[in-house]
Amino acid sequence: MKFSTPLILSTLTLAVGSAFAADAPVIGLITKTETNPFFVKMKEGAKAEAEKAGAKLMSAAGKIDGDTAGQITALENMASAGAKTIMITSAGDAIIPTVKKIQAKGVQVIALDSPFEGADALFATDNYKAGVLIGQYAKAAMAGKPVKIAMLDLFPGHPVGAQRHNGFMAGFGLKANDAKSNELSTAPEIVCANDTNGDRAKGQTAMENCLQKDPGINVVYTINEPAAAGAYNALKKAGKEKGVLILSVDGGCQGIKDTEAGIITATSQQYPLKMASMGVAAGVEYAKTGKKATGYVDTGVTLIAKNAIAGVDSKDTKVGLDLCWGKK
């Protein structure tokens, strides 16, 4: 679905509260949505860093995860408005032709969080490693017991979703595709797999469907913490919340609180503020020197668990809460 022009324009805003020089660099930030706390924190970090550096920040977001049409329109609008660097958390490869078009006009395009072909640079979590960490934890926690695994994914073909999914399987000791694959692997231990779009309500529906398929599920992988919370709701509704491991990725403050409460068993924490601040710095550097950012920079990931397990390196929820994003 393509947004109408008035709707998209309403999502584009300039950072306010500061006086900018006429030649201040203009930097854009396009996220997947405006509501996910991960992207809220990313926007806060970008705004703070831009104000500190004397840059103008424009921001926009898709309506839902996967809204490439909205992101394409935002790319075009920002380039037309004078942005020389645009940071984007890609909702899908449909944005690539537009990225190439604006790059040909001298715009630097930096991928945050989600890789895509042709980005000048990528500042992101090692999502495969994030999956491996929670897979290793789940394997150790099950201690050789038979497993029935539900995989609550993002949606087909997205690199972040595939990397976390396949990384989890590899960490659990199951045969899986490597970090470069966008295909979701499967194994006999996986009794159900459903898409959630990273959404809490859809996560609950996905888990309800999985429980109908196999009520004996005892390990649940989730693409992010909102989906994990939805999965827990479904398990609780079915009276099955005890004895089921829920593993996730994000490290937001609510997710860490859910980990402390036992809703999430363990989560891999990532750092969106660092991604955004590095992107803004790269944008200012490009404006001053003409030098573009290149390559991949790993912004770090930490396994957070309420209960440590021997042989698995993790930090407790106090550390997680100190480093989390969102409302504490």
Side-chain angles (χ1 to χ4, degrees), residues 3 8 11-12 28-46 57-72 74-75 78 86-92 95 110-114 158 272 275-276:
F3 288 139
I8 274 298
T11 68
L12 294 175
L29 172 65
I30 303 170
T31 54
K32 293 179 183 175
T33 71
E34 282 192 325
T35 55
N36 186 313
F38 182 86
F39 300 123
V40 171
K41 191 65 178 181
M42 182 177 281
K43 184 177 175 181
E44 289 175 0
L57 181 72
M58 304 178 74
S59 63
K63 197 169 185 179
I64 60 172
D65 206 329
D67 178 21
T68 52
Q71 290 196 327
I72 287 168
L75 281 165
M78 286 183 178
I86 299 176
M87 306 175 289
I88 182 168
T89 61
S90 169
I95 69 167
I110 296 174
L112 302 182
D113 178 54
S114 301
H158 196 283
M275 297 174 198

Side-chain angles (χ1 to χ4, degrees), residues 19 52 82 97 108 138 164 168 225 231:
K52 189 166 67 176
Q108 173 180 237
R164 292 180 186 179
F168 173 82
E225 289 160 356

Side-chain angles (χ1 to χ4, degrees), residues 215-278:
I217 290 168
N218 54 8
V219 175
V220 181
Y221 154 88
T222 59
I223 179 65
N224 65 3
E225 289 160 356
Y232 179 82
N233 287 344
L235 287 162
K236 188 174 182 180
K237 187 177 174 183
K240 294 180 175 293
E241 74 274 22
K242 299 186 185 302
V244 177
L245 306 185
I246 300 179
L247 297 310
S248 197
V249 177
D250 260 349
C253 297
Q254 185 57 54
I256 298 300
K257 291 175 185 174
D258 286 349
T259 305
E260 175 63 26
I263 293 172
I264 297 173
T265 309
T267 188
S268 288
Q269 186 172 55
Q270 52 183 343
Y271 304 104
L273 193 151
K274 185 175 182 181
M275 297 174 198
S277 62
M278 292 180 69

